[in-house]
Amino acid sequence: MFGGGDGNGWTTCEKGHQHWGLFGAAGILVTDTTDEDVRVLLQHRAAWTHEGGTWSVPGGARDSHEDAIQAALREAGEETTILPVHLAPYVEWVDDHGGWSYTTVLARFTGGDDEFKPANPETAALEWWRLDQVETLSLHSGFAAAWPQLRSMIER
C-alpha cells in the first residue's frame, strides 16, 4: 500500500493461506521498562486495513533486499513517528507458514520522546500497554497467536 517496495503483493504459503508480502513480512514489538512494569507499544490498525480495528505491531511486507530487522524498522518509520535511532533490536521470533514467514523483531526503547503518533493512514493510534493488559485487547489474529511466545521472550 504505502512505500511502494518490491515486496508489496499477495502470495500463497504452502498451507494455501493468502499473505501480504511477496518475500515475507516483519513487524517490530517495542518494549520499555518503567519503574513498575514492562510495557509494549502496540498499533491500533485502521478500520480499512486487514483485520482493521485490532491491535498489533507496526509491520508489513519485506522487500527483496531486506532482512527482517531492516524491514521492521522501515515499516515502523512508515507507520509511526518512532525513530529507529531510539530502538535496539534484541531478538527475533519467526512464524513460519511454509514458504512465507512473519518475523516479529523485539526491540528495546532506548530513550527520547515516547509519545508516538501515527505517520500514515494504516495506523489509527499507538499506545503503551502493560504485559498483563495485552490479552484483554482485540488483537490481530496473527499477533494473538504469537503473543504467548512473545510475552515469554520479553519476560526472560
Side-chain angles (χ1 to χ4, degrees), residues 48-112:
W48 60 268
T49 64
H50 181 255
E51 293 191 41
T54 60
W55 292 89
S56 188
V57 298
R62 286 173 61 173
D63 289 335
S64 62
H65 63 279
E66 293 178 313
D67 63 26
I69 292 174
Q70 291 169 326
L73 290 172
R74 176 185 50 75
E75 285 286 337
E78 289 177 3
E79 297 178 2
T80 75
T81 58
I82 296 171
L83 297 176
V85 69
H86 296 297
L87 300 176
Y90 62 94
V91 71
E92 299 175 26
W93 185 75
V94 179
D95 184 10
D96 187 355
H97 290 248
W100 185 91
S101 65
Y102 188 96
T103 302
T104 303
V105 176
L106 280 72
R108 287 183 188 83
F109 178 63
T110 60

Side-chain angles (χ1 to χ4, degrees), residues 6-154:
D6 70 350
N8 287 340
W10 291 99
T11 189
T12 304
C13 72
E14 293 170 5
K15 298 176 183 178
H17 305 129
Q18 291 268 272
H19 300 282
W20 182 257
L22 300 175
F23 306 103
I28 196 149
L29 180 56
V30 180
T31 65
D32 187 31
T33 304
T34 66
D35 290 338
E36 302 97 36
D37 293 301
V38 175
R39 59 188 187 155
V40 294
L41 184 70
L42 296 181
Q43 171 195 54
H44 196 215
R45 299 170 59 80
W48 60 268
T49 64
H50 181 255
E51 293 191 41
T54 60
W55 292 89
S56 188
V57 298
R62 286 173 61 173
D63 289 335
S64 62
H65 63 279
E66 293 178 313
D67 63 26
I69 292 174
Q70 291 169 326
L73 290 172
R74 176 185 50 75
E75 285 286 337
E78 289 177 3
E79 297 178 2
T80 75
T81 58
I82 296 171
L83 297 176
V85 69
H86 296 297
L87 300 176
Y90 62 94
V91 71
E92 299 175 26
W93 185 75
V94 179
D95 184 10
D96 187 355
H97 290 248
W100 185 91
S101 65
Y102 188 96
T103 302
T104 303
V105 176
L106 280 72
R108 287 183 188 83
F109 178 63
T110 60
D113 181 9
D114 70 351
E115 296 296 319
F116 303 115
K117 297 184 177 25
N120 76 21
E122 292 180 67
T123 305
L126 293 160
E127 288 190 38
W128 288 103
W129 298 94
R130 289 188 329 265
L131 298 183
D132 63 347
Q133 294 175 307
V134 173
E135 58 263 4
T136 69
L137 303 171
S138 176
L139 300 176
H140 181 281
S141 62
F143 182 68
W147 177 244
Q149 179 65 30
L150 295 169
R151 181 176 179 167
S152 174
M153 293 169 74
I154 293 166

